[in-house]
Amino acid sequence: MANYKLIALDMDGTFLTEDKTISAENRKAVEAAAAAGVTVMFSTGRGIQNVLPYVEELGLKSPIVSVNGSEVWTAPGQLHSRTFVEPDLVEKMLSLALEYDTWYWAYAVSGIYNKEKWVPKIDSEQWLKFGYYYEDEASLRAIREQLISWDMLEVTNSHPCNIELNPKGVSKASGLKQVCELLGIEMSQVIAMGDSLNDVTMIREAGLGVAMGNAQDEVKELADVVTATNEEHGVAKIIEQYVLR
């Protein structure tokens, strides 16, 4: 039996149900894993302000990887590292959003901004991530191709209708590697679970990479294991099978 020391969980579409709550089954499994001495943490595209309520609900004191790896926290409230998106790149991404008339949002250190609430000056903020949401597949593909052609950003998604951008080289895997260093463990001792393209790096590099039953096909193809959906407590099933047995 592999000796897993860390469980890294994506939140939306993975650990949380569709109505953004924690199921009793998942809660119980996380508590049992923690009691067995395994570190359970979130590795998410969300900004820290949208992670902490769940961390508090579970009573976790573990590290956190937020905004797809742009921030790594040693523990809640203790920042370990932060990587910024250059303001001129944010400017370029914004003009692309305006050109295609998409919904857009961005995480800065000071908070979340979007199409309806944007900043007066881009260079007055410290940017962590930019995103587009658009239900028109052709436009989304065109935007994605342009972004990839710049070769300056990590281009992923957290939903089939969105695109998420982080600085080149910054991913959930790069964040988890820092966490492994902090904990003195190897990536081979990590179980990583997710459902979207922003989870691919950590699923590929963890000792056990798990795709949810509701994951995008590309993610399922790369995973070591496919579990049940987020509505069927797929996270709890993996913890029971690979950690608690």
Side-chain angles (χ1 to χ4, degrees), residues 170-226:
V170 170
S171 67
K172 290 189 180 185
S174 71
L176 279 183
K177 282 177 186 160
Q178 292 182 46
V179 170
C180 285
E181 280 168 26
L182 289 170
L183 299 177
I185 64 171
E186 303 292 323
M187 280 294 273
S188 61
Q189 295 174 297
V190 177
I191 297 176
M193 302 189 223
D195 70 311
S196 297
L197 298 186
N198 63 344
D199 300 308
V200 161
T201 55
M202 68 172 184
I203 286 173
R204 207 186 258 144
E205 296 190 39
L208 185 71
V210 181
M212 303 305 291
N214 51 288
Q216 295 172 37
D217 289 342
E218 211 175 312
V219 183
K220 288 181 179 174
E221 282 160 25
L222 291 163
D224 300 311
V225 183
V226 178

Side-chain angles (χ1 to χ4, degrees), residues 97-167:
L98 299 174
E99 182 189 332
Y100 285 91
D101 192 27
T102 71
W103 174 260
Y104 57 88
W105 79 96
Y107 277 106
V109 172
S110 62
I112 309 166
Y113 300 97
N114 61 38
K115 189 174 183 172
E116 286 168 5
K117 180 192 133 201
W118 194 245
V119 292
K121 281 183 69 196
I122 284 181
D123 58 8
S124 64
E125 296 292 333
Q126 295 174 297
W127 299 99
L128 298 164
K129 183 177 92 164
F130 192 92
Y132 301 86
Y133 182 89
Y134 208 28
E135 286 173 5
D136 179 73
E137 217 176 291
S139 296
L140 207 60
R141 197 178 311 117
I143 294 170
R144 194 183 168 88
E145 280 164 11
Q146 281 205 50
L147 294 163
I148 290 170
S149 75
W150 300 352
D151 197 28
M152 297 175 81
L153 295 153
E154 292 295 323
V155 183
T156 64
N157 75 17
S158 59
H159 182 279
C161 293
N162 80 20
I163 303 175
E164 298 200 350
L165 293 310
N166 287 77

